[in-house]
Amino acid sequence: MYTDGLSMDTKSKKILTAFKKQGARVETKARVKLKEKKDFSLWYTPGVAVASRYLAEHPEEARKLSVKKNSVAVVSDGSAVLGLGNIGPYGALPVMEGKALIFKEKAGVDAWPIVLSTQEPEEIVQVVKAIAPAFGGINLEDIAAPKCFDIEERLIEALDIPVMHDDQHGTAIVVLAGLTNAAKVVKKTLKELKIVISGAGAAGTGTAKLLIAAGVRDIVMLDRTGTLYAGRENLNENKAELAKLTNPRKVKGGLDEAMVGADVFIGLSGKGLLSAGHVRSMAPRAIVFAMANPEPEIFPDVAKKAGAVVVATGRSDFPNQINNSLVFPGVFRGALDRGVRQITEAAKLRAARALAALVARPAADKIIPDMLDPRVVKAVAGAIR
Amino acid sequence: MYTDGLSMDTKSKKILTAFKKQGARVETKARVKLKEKKDFSLWYTPGVAVASRYLAEHPEEARKLSVKKNSVAVVSDGSAVLGLGNIGPYGALPVMEGKALIFKEKAGVDAWPIVLSTQEPEEIVQVVKAIAPAFGGINLEDIAAPKCFDIEERLIEALDIPVMHDDQHGTAIVVLAGLTNAAKVVKKTLKELKIVISGAGAAGTGTAKLLIAAGVRDIVMLDRTGTLYAGRENLNENKAELAKLTNPRKVKGGLDEAMVGADVFIGLSGKGLLSAGHVRSMAPRAIVFAMANPEPEIFPDVAKKAGAVVVATGRSDFPNQINNSLVFPGVFRGALDRGVRQITEAAKLRAARALAALVARPAADKIIPDMLDPRVVKAVAGAIR
């Protein structure tokens, strides 16, 4: 399954060995020296009392003279990790630590992984509120739908620092950026696209809402039961809302029915879900974003052979990596730099546009800037204001 | 008041300017490189899924292949900060950040400051339990007595990582170390010392208990009301316990009464509390540890003029700095390196002994190793097993 031809087992063993050998992938670093007595007198006792007294009286200044200036908590309860599902805090930890690593390397943001031993929404809200004072932003991550919506909403309301559930909004921004360029490649407009979104969880929901805000009119969403449509039974609050916002043609059934004639497939669901037959049933010049991680809904070679013109995944080892890593470092860089308290819909649209615009000449294998492109963070950060 | 002769105001302004110019004093740092696509494939997606799957199945391995290996949360609710009192999370933040700085510079521990927007004991316990999975240790700090005792006890019981309220135990260890050498200087034994401890909060309680464990027999403790003795009215649970453990001569009254004939004064209370008259009323060859921060109970020159032979404070700008910074980095270094889950009484006694032993020839102005002494962390860490 992997591009270098190694079997999953051999590859996995090599990776695990690397992680074991490495230990931690992020650490802390002193930004002042502690070499002489006077360094301790200034930065610890008695000097630190001056800063403490000052911040006790001017808490809003914490953003200027403490770690709060540049820090983000990457918070997960491990209830919906990558494509792996509910694997708990320890399962989530490597991902959160990886994000902290990317935050630093890409955007100079001091992010620290926080994984929670609770999965109760009420408690998650309470814990994040409790630890918020030392952080300049909260990146919620891999928290299952539908609880993630309420958790994010309540934290945005309660806190005076930016809170973003990256699965929803990071995904939405990068998908919209990729889709903007993919549409150019196949010479279709966003407004005329018939889009199927497989997965009505956090990522699917965030993506559908942002695409609609960008002008998309025809989205059919699917959960495990089938398409979402107004009046379907057993819809939770979030899906009932999505059912109203999407599916204007009232498509019923499963993926087989939804894919017929579709211009775009956006997979935010699970591995191997999409078959070559599904792709063959799509409209001409089809676009396939198979973003399940770590294993996509369909592998690029299969999708292309079945007729898809533009194919993207979430992975670094294929072309067109539609990955949140293109977004979250810049979003928080911009928010921290400008003291932005809320990541608005308008800012997300601007960020997607800025990201898309970095690809001067979109092509089938180049719809999104590369993760290594040094312009990415600046472009996204510039949109957050 | 300050040794360089500057007034408090001028000095404070200079310090505040330095903190403002500096911003954060700690940051994060990548321990792996993210330069090429293959770095992302390994350390983020898809590679990270292998580590996630593995830790989901083997959570106990998080200590080997994640930040948990070397990380400590420095947690405070800001309810009892330095000598400043209840100044809340933002007031506490510079101190916690300073500790994180010292943790890294002295012991290579990756500590991150966590200040809480709640001061409810129940909630503090819940929050620390919730965030514990990504940390290898919990340093509780500047949490007011008496709630700090119950909070620490419950967390030690609930978590499988070391939890230490540094105000209690860090202070106790460093005081015992200093006192061991001070006693040598004045040629008295620990067992025969009459000791007054001013302050029956976290530090006073931890110190009294460890001194007793070390063989001290005659301690008189004072809170704001006066000496603690069995049967005194209005004693909370903690003070009632202390009253039983201490004051064998049933001394009643205030500091005036307690200080008469005392060999040692240990100040863990508030600035300016001890007068020259108090020191003059002590036994010959008196020892004064005036450790209130940032301003001691009595300044060293005044205490010495009044007859004290050994004088120590908590500050870096006087000789004999009896400061927790000599202890906490080594305690957690040792605990992390050896996977120690609980800092036992025996380990604390060993740590104090190891610290004292670093001073080959104790003298009036040299009872405790210097903060800059590179042997300190190793000696303390070696005691934690």
Side-chain angles (χ1 to χ4, degrees), chain B residues 70-89:
Chain B
N70 197 44
S71 65
V72 167
V74 184
V75 181
S76 181
D77 70 344
S79 58
V81 180
L82 292 175
L84 306 172
N86 186 348
I87 56 171

Side-chain angles (χ1 to χ4, degrees), chain A residues 222 225-229 232 250-258:
Chain A
L222 294 112
T225 308
T227 66
L228 302 191
Y229 52 87
R232 199 187 94 179
K250 316 272 178 228
V251 179
K252 295 182 183 178
L255 200 55
D256 294 351
E257 289 77 15

